[in-house]
DNA sequence: AGAAAAGATGTTACTTTGTATCGTTTATTC
DNA sequence: GAATAAACGATACAAAGTAACATCTTTTCT
């Protein structure tokens, strides 16, 4: 099972997460000749501010209030950056929260699911063959051909358990 | 595996689905001393008009335009009915679509997931122990304690496959 | 039966999330 | 360097969901 749960749910040097994510994003965009423009990078950095999913308008507010950005930023600008980052697989959308979170393993194709802590909000991403197989097998019994899946698990993370 | 996929994706006498759902709803609400009021029943019937998930405002429009309802119905009225039906387990919400669908097996506790056809929109509900176990097991490896899950699979239903 | 409490609905106004559109700017291509 | 494509700024709007309050209905208690 591929997961960032060991990091996401525990004390760690989060600057390294941010740096790694930004570096990897540049690499991938370079390789794909996709343009990681300043706003797109700012949005990505804002989303990576923590391991908690961030709403689009929270991103708008964060960026508008930050020192670095001279002027206010408008929703369509942020949504366009979000769309780009989704297309590049650099972030994911959590449907059950209407929020966005950075992908810890972009590039490597993975069919992922999310563990969302209802206490602290921290969210880990996982990729597990057994879950995939179970879903595809169950769908197959209904003669249903799987294209994509949304799997979002809500519960209590190791740090928040008594 | 418990599922209504045999029915939902194929020609069938859908009036029986509707009748069964309404009957079962009355039974359950009676047993629980919950009040299945006229609006609540109308909303349930409207959602059960097909096996395709229906948005809240589509429900508002359907009911407002129907002969039977004298006057226009407002969003909060519908949302309150939706909340009641969700609480009673008579319908489910599909987060990835912002839409609602009738539950084919209310009463029996089931941890369910959905197979959403991207062609025709028809959606089946499934409940499968292997999927449950795979998810709980994967979460367990991250020391994550599962409370609830959102599993929505998008793909092609048997009828829509070439 | 009648009063009081609880539950449900009607209505207005509002919040949150996400887009269509159009004009302008910046980068790429020829 | 002109033409084309891509990205951004800004306004306005659509879609999904809710807060608040008045009114009406049902249930409960005396
Ligand atoms: Zn981190
Ligand atoms: Zn937690
Ligand atoms: Zn049916
Ligand atoms: Zn179909």
């Amino acid at each position: 099972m591929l997961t960032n749960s060991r990091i996401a749910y525990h004390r760690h040097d989060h600057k390294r997460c941010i740096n790694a994510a930004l570096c990897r994003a540049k690499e991938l965009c370079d390789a794909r000749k996709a343009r990681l423009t300043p706003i797109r990078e700012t949005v990505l950095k804002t989303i990576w501010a923590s391991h908690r999913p961030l709403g689009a308008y929270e991103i708008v507010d964060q960026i508008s209030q930050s020192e670095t950005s001279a002027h206010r930023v408008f929703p369509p600008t942020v949504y366009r950056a979000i769309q780009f980052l989704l297309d590049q697989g650099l972030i994911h959308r959590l449907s059950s929260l209407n929020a966005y979170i950075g992908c810890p393993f972009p590039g490597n194709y993975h069919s992922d699911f999310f563990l969302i802590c209802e206490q602290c909000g921290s969210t880990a991403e996982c990729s597990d063959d057994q879950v995939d197989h179970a879903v595809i097998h169950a769908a197959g019994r209904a003669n249903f051909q799987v294209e994509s899946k949304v799997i979002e698990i809500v519960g209590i993370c190791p740090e928040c358990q008594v």
Side-chain angles (χ1 to χ4, degrees), chain A residues 37-126:
Chain A
T37 62
I39 311 128
R40 290 167 176 175
E41 194 175 339
T42 302
V43 169
L44 182 59
K45 205 188 298 182
T46 306
I47 290 175
W48 266 104
S50 79
H51 291 274
R52 285 184 294 281
L54 210 58
Y57 276 75
E58 291 180 297
I59 299 171
V60 169
D61 292 346
Q62 288 291 323
I63 296 180
S64 293
Q65 285 162 22
S66 82
E67 322 281 310
T68 47
S69 80
H71 50 284
R72 199 186 151 215
V73 73
F74 293 92
T77 304
V78 167
Y79 275 102
R80 280 189 288 235
I82 286 173
Q83 190 56 58
F84 171 86
L85 298 169
L86 287 171
D87 290 345
Q88 298 297 324
L90 297 170
I91 62 171
H92 298 294
R93 179 174 196 275
L94 296 174
S95 304
S96 63
L97 299 175
N98 293 337
Y100 305 86
I101 192 160
C103 174
F105 348 97
N108 329 336
Y109 172 74
H110 51 280
S111 164
D112 36 46
F113 62 97
F114 299 90
L115 303 177
I116 305 168
C117 178
E118 63 188 355
Q119 292 281 322
C120 68
S122 287
T123 296
E125 179 172 340
C126 305

